[in-house]
Amino acid sequence: MLSPYFQQHADYVSISREQGCRFAKCVADDYNPLHDKDAKKFCAPGDLLFSLVLDRYGISERMEFTFAGMVDENTKLNFPQGDDEFDVTNGDKVILKVKREGKTSKCPTLTNSLIKNYVEFSGAAFPHVIIPLMGKQEVMINPARPMVIYESMIINLDNIDIQEPTLEFAEPSFEYAGKRGKITLRFNLLENGEKVGFGEKHMVVSGIREYCQATVDDLIAFYNDRKATLKPA
């Protein structure tokens, strides 16, 4: 599932601009300009790094991911031996901190299902969830520089004896002070209609300003036009 989106070298993994861009648009439905292959400051999607960890180490009952650095086309990702707690690094620099607890499943059906469902959930957050969520408190992101940074996420499963869990949105939250705030997106995991776990995605937003409906309308129109133009065939 993930093989088209990374390169495995002798002792490290790399992600090209083309690979990061195609994962964002083809898998995550994410049209953040940072993931464009010709972006001035390209950044591979955090959800691709998350997916690579699940694919390599399996699914644990409790997992926590903390993003500490950005991945570009020159990053050499080092994945250590699997442990309860480890860091994915680029040389001496930590890129992603991972904590795991409980039993672990290497079932490829479960892994691929969780990756697919979570990444689709994550990619749909902007603008359709984040902008209305902030709008309830009469604020919005800076349309010129929409700085929404992926900070961390958690997944908790009641058990790992499942195969194809589906994901449903749960109530998100947003809190802010001044120009900075924190967004928490929540979801439940279901197997045959029964809840088998839950998770959260945490994001930091900066450059917060007073809500303006006309500006929001322009931002969403720009995003939708961009998606229609750039969506791969």
Side-chain angles (χ1 to χ4, degrees):
M1 176 182 177
L2 296 177
S3 57
Y5 307 112
F6 71 97
Q7 298 166 75
Q8 178 67 62
H9 304 270
D11 56 354
Y12 68 91
V13 167
S14 66
I15 300 168
S16 70
R17 284 173 169 257
E18 175 69 26
Q19 288 171 324
C21 177
R22 287 195 64 81
F23 179 88
K25 294 171 176 58
C26 296
V27 181
D29 204 30
D30 181 351
Y31 287 80
N32 185 332
L34 283 174
H35 307 324
D36 289 353
K37 63 182 179 181
D38 57 354
K40 186 175 181 180
K41 191 175 182 181
F42 168 78
C43 172
D47 286 336
L48 175 51
L49 186 55
F50 157 78
S51 300
L52 289 172
V53 170
L54 295 194
D55 188 57
R56 185 172 294 248
Y57 301 103
I59 309 295
S60 296
E61 290 176 316
R62 288 171 294 283
M63 298 177 286
E64 180 178 342
F65 304 82
T66 303
F67 293 84
M70 298 175 74
V71 175
D72 64 19
E73 70 274 26
N74 298 312
T75 302
K76 296 181 178 181
L77 294 167
N78 296 297
F79 291 87
Q81 292 294 319
D83 205 346
D84 290 341
E85 191 169 340
F86 61 88
D87 297 335
V88 178
T89 59
N90 174 28
D92 295 331
K93 184 177 181 182
V94 175
I95 300 296
L96 176 67
K97 302 179 78 67
V98 181
K99 293 182 180 179
R100 305 185 301 164
E101 296 179 15
K103 297 177 182 177
T104 297
S105 169
K106 289 287 188 74
C107 171
T109 303
L110 171 59
T111 300
N112 290 337
S113 177
L114 189 54
I115 288 174
K116 178 180 182 293
N117 283 286
Y118 173 76
V119 168
E120 288 177 354
F121 156 82
S122 182
F126 184 87
H128 308 296
V129 177
I130 290 174
I131 287 181
L133 179 64
M134 295 178 67
K136 289 180 180 179
Q137 298 191 43
E138 300 184 351
V139 294
M140 58 181 284
I141 60 173
N142 178 355
R145 288 191 70 210
M147 295 298 292
V148 182
I149 306 298
Y150 200 161
E151 182 184 53
S152 64
M153 66 165 295
I154 60 170
I155 292 178
N156 281 272
L157 293 167
D158 297 335
N159 67 75
I160 52 173
D161 297 324
I162 53 177
Q163 285 205 317
E164 296 187 80
T166 57
L167 188 151
E168 66 173 8
F169 276 86
E171 189 66 29
S173 63
F174 168 64
E175 54 188 36
Y176 76 101
K179 294 184 180 295
R180 290 180 59 84
K182 183 171 182 177
I183 296 166
T184 301
L185 301 180
R186 299 181 175 89
F187 58 91
N188 293 320
L189 290 161
L190 309 176
E191 180 92 325
N192 299 321
E194 293 189 8
K195 183 177 175 182
V196 293
F198 67 92
E200 295 182 355
K201 174 179 179 177
H202 303 279
M203 292 174 288
V204 173
V205 57
S206 59
I208 294 172
R209 56 177 57 191
E210 186 177 349
Y211 189 86
C212 171
Q213 188 62 54
T215 303
V216 164
D217 292 344
D218 288 345
L219 179 62
I220 292 176
F222 171 78
Y223 182 89
N224 289 335
D225 288 346
R226 186 181 146 73
K227 182 174 178 179
T229 302
L230 297 177
K231 192 171 184 66

